[in-house]
Amino acid sequence: MNDIKQSPKKLAKQAASAYESNDYTNAANLYETAGRLYQEAGDELMAAEMANNLSVTLLKMNDAEGALRVVEGTDVIFQDAGDVNRQAIAAANQAAAIEAQGRLDEALERYQQASDLLKQSGNRQMRSYVLQSISALQLRTGKQLQAMASMDTALEHKSKLSLKERLLRKLLNTQKRLMK
């Protein structure tokens, strides 16, 4: 059965499988086709989700410009639909693509928007990931105190901490006590 005859849902599953197997070229082609088929079927939300998946895949392929191009505007689609969680994820994907282009201050702003939206939606796990990205960017841009605060908040939102994260948490708590 060729791709045209397959459902976009099936193509999306195949794309996810290809992505998990690090076959990014195949994953990108499948996400793009699935997105086009969802668009043709009038399912704008799923088309936007496929664009976000494609963006993440393109970043893995070191195509930051392409990643940003395909994800631009998807946050507005989710916002218009009242889907705050997917709006936040789209904003985070945009931030990652902007960061990969070296536009750090702009990426930091976009990550902060994503964090605020994730807080609103209650997605603690994804917010933790975004806060870690914010912390890393703050370190890169010379904002050490803000980076510590962001990382502390990120660790608060994780349900299970690795050994490294537990040690980091302990160091951050010690630092906070010393700063008082």
Side-chain angles (χ1 to χ4, degrees):
M1 186 182 273
N2 65 33
D3 288 348
I4 302 302
K5 300 279 186 206
Q6 291 185 6
S7 73
K9 185 175 182 178
K10 188 171 184 177
L11 289 173
K13 282 181 107 173
Q14 290 173 354
S17 179
Y19 181 89
E20 290 299 318
S21 300
N22 300 324
D23 183 1
Y24 301 126
T25 301
N26 191 32
N29 290 331
L30 289 165
Y31 280 132
E32 188 172 17
T33 302
R36 184 175 37 77
L37 292 175
Y38 276 124
Q39 192 70 44
E40 289 170 3
D43 192 339
E44 194 175 56
L45 292 177
M46 285 306 297
E49 187 167 320
M50 293 303 104
N52 275 271
N53 292 340
L54 176 57
S55 176
V56 171
T57 306
L58 290 172
L59 277 178
K60 288 285 190 177
M61 297 169 66
N62 297 314
D63 182 1
E65 288 79 18
L68 183 58
R69 186 176 53 254
V70 300
V71 78
E72 281 181 320
T74 59
D75 57 327
V76 176
I77 292 168
F78 293 127
Q79 179 183 15
D80 290 347
D83 191 332
V84 177
N85 192 59
R86 288 199 284 183
Q87 177 189 358
I89 292 168
N93 289 337
Q94 291 167 1
I98 292 167
E99 179 183 4
Q101 293 178 8
R103 297 164 25 207
L104 304 185
D105 289 334
E106 189 179 342
L108 198 52
E109 286 178 29
R110 219 51 201 128
Y111 276 129
Q112 190 58 56
Q113 291 171 342
S115 174
D116 294 345
L117 289 165
L118 288 164
K119 183 177 183 179
Q120 184 181 336
S121 76
N123 187 338
R124 293 174 58 88
Q125 195 67 28
M126 185 66 182
R127 184 164 186 243
S128 175
Y129 171 77
V130 168
L131 285 166
Q132 288 174 357
S133 296
I134 288 171
S135 177
L137 265 179
Q138 288 169 329
L139 276 175
R140 287 175 64 193
T141 57
K143 300 172 184 159
Q144 286 79 11
L145 290 177
Q146 293 98 324
M148 285 176 38
S150 296
M151 183 56 72
D152 188 48
T153 305
L155 295 175
E156 282 177 16
H157 284 82
K158 286 194 88 168
S159 55
K160 285 191 173 186
L161 298 178
S162 68
L163 175 61
K164 180 178 145 184
E165 290 168 333
R166 288 193 305 269
L167 289 171
L168 181 57
R169 183 75 188 263
K170 192 171 190 165
L171 286 170
L172 287 171
N173 286 337
T174 301
Q175 186 67 31
K176 283 194 296 190
R177 281 196 307 275
L178 290 173
M179 292 175 73
K180 287 183 180 180

